[in-house]
């Protein structure tokens, strides 16, 4: 929950505290161990800043996003993948700067007005609509999210949000794909790297995300996978109101080998956008994901 809020889906990823390095060993058993009825609760936070330069002046917009997700494994397939329902238990949003009225939203706050997504500005309203909604996904044993089903309420919220909205269906789905971190291929040893590449569909066009992952440590308790990722615009952006200038992402994931489940993820991201007349946006973001209970 693979985002500033304008690009939360883009900036969704990971990095973490170091653990003791293990001796090189096969990690064929570093896999999700799904069982019907299993539950997991994860808390995701993202703090992002957009430094906006226009007419020689620079201002900052800060966005803080929090999402608490409750997982429940509904079924397990022969290949080890599982159908998982992930329900958004809580959404918090804080946005400041840019000359706009500060925004604070908490789906669990007291009082109907405080919880009503309609109180959010159009660009953030879809985020508020996620609260209470269940996203059904098929997740492989290596952690890759194979599919995400959009709840009807969220689909309607996307359609009703209007031109100011910064989240289409593809961007919402990216929040639930745990993008970028799959577990090592069978037989990988500590210190070895592997690569993969993905096309992301974002508000300003398609972006190629080329990733290099490395198994930093592994034993019978935990495994750590680090990530270095480069984001590049895909194809000609001529005619777009803004162009994507590229970005990077670094981070790591801690996998609980003993219990066959994700434990923690941290990441840092940087990206840039530019437009006519020297207009540019420099984006920075830090994200965390923690398993906080059953």
């Amino acid at each position: 929950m693979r985002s500033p809020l304008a690009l939360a889906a883009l900036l969704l990823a990971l990095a973490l505290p170091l653990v003791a390095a293990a001796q090189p060993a096969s990690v064929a058993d570093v896999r999700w161990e799904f069982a019907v009825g299993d539950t997991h609760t994860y808390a995701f936070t993202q703090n992002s800043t957009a430094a906006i330069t226009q007419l020689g002046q620079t201002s900052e917009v800060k966005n803080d996003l929090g999402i608490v997700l409750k997982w429940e494994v509904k079924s397990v397939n022969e290949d080890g993948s599982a159908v998982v329902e992930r329900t958004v238990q809580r959404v918090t949003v804080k946005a400041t700067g840019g000359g706009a009225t500060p925004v604070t939203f908490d789906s669990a706050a007291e009082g109907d007005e405080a919880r009503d997504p309609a109180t959010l500005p159009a660009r953030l309203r879809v985020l508020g609509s996620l609260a209470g909604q269940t996203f059904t996904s098929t997740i492989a044993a290596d952690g890759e999210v194979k599919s995400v089903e959009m709840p009807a309420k969220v689909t309607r919220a996307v359609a009703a949000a209007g031109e100011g909205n910064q989240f289409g269906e593809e961007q919402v789905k990216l929040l639930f794909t745990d993008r970028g971190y799959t577990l090592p291929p069978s037989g990988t040893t500590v210190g070895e790297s592997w690569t993969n590449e993905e096309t992301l569909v974002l508000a300003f066009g398609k972006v190629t995300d080329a990733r290099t992952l490395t198994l930093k440590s592994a034993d019978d308790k935990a495994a750590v996978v680090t990530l270095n990722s480069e984001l590049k615009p895909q194809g000609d952006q001529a005619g777009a109101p803004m162009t994507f200038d590229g970005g990077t992402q670094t981070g790591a994931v801690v996998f609980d080998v003993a219990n066959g489940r994700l434990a923690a993820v941290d990441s840092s991201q940087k990206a840039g956008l530019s437009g006519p007349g020297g207009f540019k946006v420099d984006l920075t973001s830090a994200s965390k994901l923690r398993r906080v209970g059953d």
Side-chain angles (χ1 to χ4, degrees):
M1 292 173 286
R2 173 197 212 210
S3 52
L5 291 175
L7 295 171
L10 166 65
L11 297 178
L12 194 50
L14 319 113
L16 111 124
L18 296 175
V19 301
Q23 294 299 314
S26 172
V27 293
D29 57 345
V30 180
R31 290 291 181 269
W32 275 92
E33 297 177 6
F34 294 115
V36 174
D38 277 355
T39 58
H40 308 281
T41 301
Y42 288 97
F44 169 76
T45 59
Q46 183 181 70
N47 306 109
S48 57
T49 300
I52 303 169
T53 301
Q54 188 173 22
L55 300 176
Q57 301 293 319
T58 300
S59 61
E60 287 189 344
V61 176
K62 295 182 179 293
N63 296 295
D64 300 324
L65 171 65
I67 296 176
V68 178
L69 280 171
K70 182 66 175 284
W71 292 37
E72 182 177 359
V73 178
K74 306 302 290 185
S75 63
V76 180
N77 302 313
E78 290 185 0
D79 63 359
S81 65
V83 175
V84 181
E85 289 186 349
R86 293 181 288 177
T87 300
V88 180
Q89 293 188 316
R90 185 178 186 181
V91 176
T92 57
V93 179
K94 182 179 180 180
T96 59
T101 302
V103 173
T104 301
F105 174 84
D106 185 346
S107 65
E110 296 295 330
D112 290 340
E113 184 175 353
R115 296 196 307 262
D116 186 355
T119 62
L120 285 166
R123 66 189 179 89
L124 305 176
R125 205 162 293 160
V126 170
L127 288 175
S129 77
L130 301 180
Q133 299 305 299
T134 297
F135 292 76
T136 301
S137 300
T138 298
I139 303 177
D142 68 354
E144 181 183 357
V145 179
K146 298 291 189 179
S147 64
V148 178
E149 294 181 15
M150 287 280 289
K153 180 179 178 181
V154 179
T155 299
R156 291 194 297 269
V158 170
E163 293 183 0
N165 174 42
Q166 295 170 343
F167 290 89
E169 286 197 16
E170 292 300 321
Q171 287 75 54
V172 172
K173 287 181 179 180
L174 281 175
L175 291 171
F176 294 89
T177 56
D178 304 321
R179 185 181 58 76
Y181 285 85
T182 52
L183 299 175
S186 297
T188 302
T189 57
V190 170
E192 286 189 327
S193 299
W194 63 101
T195 61
N196 54 40
E197 187 171 289
E198 183 181 2
T199 295
L200 308 179
V201 180
L202 304 174
F204 44 79
K206 294 182 178 180
V207 170
T208 297
D209 184 2
R211 300 182 289 265
T212 298
L213 299 101
T214 301
L215 181 63
K216 295 296 290 185
S217 65
D219 55 28
D220 59 356
K221 294 181 180 180
V224 178
V225 175
T226 60
L227 169 77
N228 280 281
S229 175
E230 186 174 7
L231 301 157
K232 294 182 178 181
Q234 190 178 103
D236 187 8
Q237 298 183 84
M242 294 188 68
T243 58
F244 180 61
D245 299 323
T248 60
Q249 176 176 288
T250 59
V253 60
V254 179
F255 190 79
D256 180 350
V257 175
N259 294 291
R261 63 197 185 192
L262 180 68
V265 202
D266 297 81
S267 68
S268 298
Q269 305 84 26
K270 295 181 180 181
L273 299 166
S274 60
F279 181 83
K280 67 175 184 176
V281 181
D282 294 312
L283 308 170
T284 57
S285 180
S287 304
K288 292 183 179 182
L289 183 72
R290 296 288 185 273
R291 187 178 186 276
V292 294
D294 294 321

